[in-house]
Amino acid sequence: MSSAAAFSYAPLLPTGPDQTEYRLVTDEGVDVVHGPGGRRFLTVEPAALTALTAEAMHDIAHYLRPAHLAQLRSIIDDPAASPNDRFVALDLLRNANIAAGGVLPMCQDTGTAIVMGKRGRHVLTDGSDAEAISHGVYQAYTRLNLRYSQLAPLTMWDERNTGSNLPAQVDLYAEDPDGHPDAYKFLFMAKGGGSANKSYLYQETKALLNPTRMMQFLEEKLRLIGTSACPPYHLAVVIGGTSAEYALKTAKYASAKYLDTLPTSGSMSAHGFRDLELEAEVLELTRNFGIGAQFGGRYFCHDVRVVRLPRHGASCPVAIAVSCSADRQAVAKITPSGVWLERLETDPARFLPDVTDETLDASEVVRVDLNRPMAEIRAELSKYPVKTRLSLTGPLVVARDIAHAKIAERLDAGEPMPQYLRDHAVYYAGPAKTPEGYASGSFGPTTAGRMDAYVAKFQAAGGSMVMLAKGNRSGQVTRSCQQHGGFYLGSIGGPAARLAQDCIKHVEVLEYAELGMEAVWKIEVEDFPAFIVVDDKGNDFFAEVTKPVLTVGRR
């Protein structure tokens, strides 16, 4: 064997200087004490960790980063953007403006709370950091109009909602953040199920590591992400990794822009780096998918991060992750000067353009009266092609996973399809808490694909003839709609606060009240935006845009 290389060390993810703009949360609960050798120690009380976490979880439920809002505005200003791109971007900006009022969260899926912290060697706590941070998560979710999404496994098969959105995922590391031994730095995230479910790991080989094969691979895999995680996305691709789980973790951090200051070239120190050239090429690749910001166009992604990591010679993991239109994260720090949190945008109205619905081709919107009999609604929808923009007014039934499972059990037992699913369109959704004085809490659509297995059975029994949700469906849904004369309508994923404030006028429970937000609801909507995605003739908008067409590699 050849002689060993000289020892050298570099962190796997060496980030650069922190350029974040922070705001002071409090200067209480922190102090500086002097120790041996003239060293200074930062003491942090549990209450400071709790207060910071509660404040962070509040902010990321209601505010976005200015850069993200500027990207939405740029879609509206881009003459190459499709009308559907611009319509979605405007709706998301309006949603951000409503959420910034601090009452309705920007998305009804207020997510799993994820906290990553790096504690310097001169930071002293009582050792209960994860508990104090979890208490802050508890305070935010129980006091605000957020949704509880965490299920406690009681047996292998039985689960129950914890009623507090705990547990949180808390990962703490012992390292000097940015070289400061007396600092404690954090990344706070709220990750909804839609975007979390679009995290992928592929175990590849050296054969992938050439420009042509890489671009072909990425086109195939990125099209499969679809729209159920609410684009436009912040996309992260990680190539390599010392383990599969490290590649996935890196992709999550990169999608949150946490690794933007990585080096842009590699070295024999074997650290990770960003490939800016490949980022630009992958972004352009996604521009040509035709998927756009959910219903056709260029803006499938806002931006792309590509991180190259070292790897074992026999392994080449590739991890893909997205941050969705509810781009919820913030960094924070505790230093001798106090407790600091990233300053998010509290006045998103400044990004709203002076546009009207007429500017966005509102004359082409088809208005659908949901008070009409189901046969008449279907006959009206049958006149228009997929991608047609709709405005829905009237009653909708709301039901998703658990309610569908219960109704399927009734059908299997020989009972008839509930009349409410025969008479009304069904909206796949689950609301957040309803604030006082509001008809509804944030009430955006759920990923449609979770209900695909029920569609043929329900439509054969006369129900679910018109479905409304977000994202693409499987071929079995298209075939069932063609056979039974059904339709799938796509709702814009993301603007849950705007739907609650502007479109949903009344909410009542129809059945299974004991299921909480998973109950069957009846809601009255007004000018609820949607698009025809699957029609009664076997057409599916997403079927075409998910087919790979790339024939050339990198330039």
Side-chain angles (χ1 to χ4, degrees):
M1 295 180 63
S2 59
S3 59
F7 173 79
S8 66
Y9 173 78
L12 276 175
L13 297 172
T15 52
D18 183 3
Q19 303 295 329
T20 305
E21 181 182 355
Y22 291 95
R23 66 178 182 86
L24 181 65
V25 175
T26 181
D27 57 6
E28 297 181 358
V30 295
D31 197 6
V32 175
V33 298
H34 296 278
R39 290 182 292 176
R40 296 197 319 162
F41 290 86
L42 175 67
T43 63
V44 180
E45 297 296 328
L49 294 172
T50 298
L52 172 60
T53 303
E55 189 80 358
M57 300 314 297
H58 166 275
D59 281 14
I60 63 177
H62 291 283
Y63 309 133
L64 291 158
R65 286 171 167 159
H68 175 87
L69 294 162
Q71 287 175 310
L72 286 172
R73 173 61 188 266
S74 70
I75 296 174
I76 299 170
D77 294 337
D78 182 0
S82 72
N84 285 349
D85 278 338
R86 292 195 292 273
F87 177 71
V88 170
L90 179 60
D91 220 34
L92 291 172
L93 278 175
R94 288 170 171 165
N95 186 70
N97 197 51
I98 293 167
V103 178
L104 293 166
M106 69 183 74
C107 178
Q108 82 288 344
D109 185 349
T110 49
T112 298
I114 299 171
V115 184
M116 186 271 285
K118 296 179 178 179
R119 191 174 79 183
R121 66 185 185 275
H122 290 174
V123 176
L124 304 178
T125 70
D126 70 354
S128 64
D129 298 24
E131 180 179 354
I133 290 167
S134 295
H135 193 195
V137 171
Y138 173 86
Q139 288 185 357
Y141 277 83
T142 55
R143 295 175 181 177
L144 302 173
N145 298 309
L146 309 183
R147 196 173 85 186
Y148 309 142
S149 299
Q150 304 308 307
L151 302 177
L154 304 181
T155 71
M156 181 60 74
W157 322 117
D158 298 320
E159 301 173 307
R160 185 175 301 166
N161 195 297
T162 62
S164 64
N165 213 55
L166 293 177
Q169 178 181 318
V170 182
D171 300 318
L172 302 177
Y173 299 91
E175 65 176 80
D176 292 349
D178 302 326
H180 297 291
D182 58 349
Y184 205 159
K185 299 195 74 172
F186 300 89
L187 170 65
F188 293 94
M189 302 178 70
K191 198 72 172 171
S195 61
N197 292 345
K198 295 303 177 180
S199 299
Y200 294 102
L201 173 70
Y202 302 98
Q203 295 286 18
E204 297 299 314
T205 68
K206 165 69 175 173
L208 186 65
L209 299 180
N210 70 78
T212 298
R213 177 66 190 120
M214 178 63 72
M215 293 300 282
Q216 292 171 340
F217 170 87
L218 290 176
E219 184 188 23
E220 175 189 351
K221 303 306 182 186
L222 296 180
R223 285 179 181 270
L224 294 177
I225 294 174
T227 62
S228 59
C230 306
Y233 297 128
H234 300 281
L235 171 68
V237 179
V238 174
I239 300 158
T242 49
S243 64
E245 63 270 22
Y246 195 84
L248 283 166
K249 179 175 72 171
T250 302
K252 177 178 286 187
Y253 293 161
S255 72
K257 283 72 69 183
Y258 185 74
L259 302 178
D260 277 8
T261 57
L262 282 176
T264 55
S265 61
S267 75
M268 285 304 296
S269 296
H271 56 74
F273 64 90
R274 286 179 63 188
D275 186 328
L276 301 184
E277 179 184 359
L278 187 53
E279 288 179 1
E281 292 180 10
V282 174
L283 180 60
E284 186 59 28
L285 177 71
T286 67
R287 294 277 195 259
N288 296 320
F289 284 173
I291 299 173
Q294 306 190 28
F295 301 103
R298 287 171 48 81
Y299 282 93
F300 185 63
C301 293
H302 283 303
D303 47 42
V304 177
R305 303 292 187 269
V306 177
V307 177
R308 180 68 157 91
L309 292 177
R311 68 184 186 92
H312 186 285
S315 303
C316 187
V318 177
I320 296 173
V322 296
S323 184
C324 66
S325 56
D327 188 41
R328 294 173 294 194
Q329 64 267 156
V331 295
K333 62 182 180 180
I334 302 177
T335 69
S337 61
V339 179
W340 300 84
L341 179 61
E342 181 177 357
R343 185 182 299 278
L344 302 180
E345 181 57 65
T346 58
D347 182 25
R350 67 188 181 91
F351 292 94
L352 281 169
D354 294 326
V355 298
T356 64
D357 286 343
E358 287 70 27
T359 310
L360 298 172
D361 300 325
S363 60
E364 299 180 8
V365 176
V366 174
R367 304 194 178 278
V368 179
D369 182 2
L370 298 176
N371 291 290
R372 298 163 67 186
M374 178 54 64
E376 294 184 16
I377 295 172
R378 291 160 60 195
E380 178 71 13
L381 294 174
S382 192
K383 298 176 184 178
Y384 303 100
V386 294
K387 286 177 59 176
T388 297
R389 184 174 146 203
L390 309 173
S391 177
L392 310 177
T393 297
L396 288 169
V397 167
V398 179
R400 58 181 216 163
D401 307 67
I402 298 178
H404 274 68
K406 287 184 173 292
I407 293 169
E409 290 173 358
R410 288 158 60 173
L411 295 178
D412 290 341
E415 298 180 33
M417 171 64 65
Q419 194 64 36
Y420 53 73
L421 279 183
R422 300 174 63 90
D423 293 342
H424 302 294
V426 57
Y427 179 38
Y428 303 158
K433 296 177 197 169
T434 300
E436 185 176 353
Y438 285 72
S440 165
S442 292
F443 211 151
T446 286
T447 301
R450 302 213 305 262
M451 269 55 73
D452 283 4
Y454 301 103
V455 173
K457 177 186 295 233
F458 282 25
Q459 289 189 337
S464 294
M465 302 308 295
V466 177
M467 302 162 286
L468 176 65
K470 68 175 180 176
N472 46 302
R473 308 299 295 261
S474 62
Q476 63 182 323
V477 173
T478 303
R479 292 188 294 271
S480 182
C481 286
Q482 183 177 20
Q483 179 182 354
H484 299 290
F487 294 84
Y488 166 54
L489 312 180
S491 175
I492 300 172
R498 196 191 76 76
L499 294 176
Q501 176 176 285
D502 298 340
C503 300
I504 299 174
K505 304 303 180 181
H506 179 73
V507 177
E508 61 181 279
V509 176
L510 282 182
E511 194 171 15
Y512 304 124
E514 70 277 8
L515 298 180
M517 67 96 173
E518 294 278 2
V520 176
W521 307 78
K522 185 177 180 181
I523 64 175
E524 291 285 336
V525 301
E526 184 177 300
D527 294 328
F528 193 108
F531 295 78
I532 299 176
V533 175
V534 176
D535 66 13
D536 57 347
K537 304 170 189 66
N539 298 308
D540 176 4
F541 162 66
F542 288 113
E544 290 302 314
V545 297
T546 54
K547 293 178 181 177
V549 297
L550 188 69
T551 57
V552 297
R554 292 176 68 182
R555 293 185 297 275

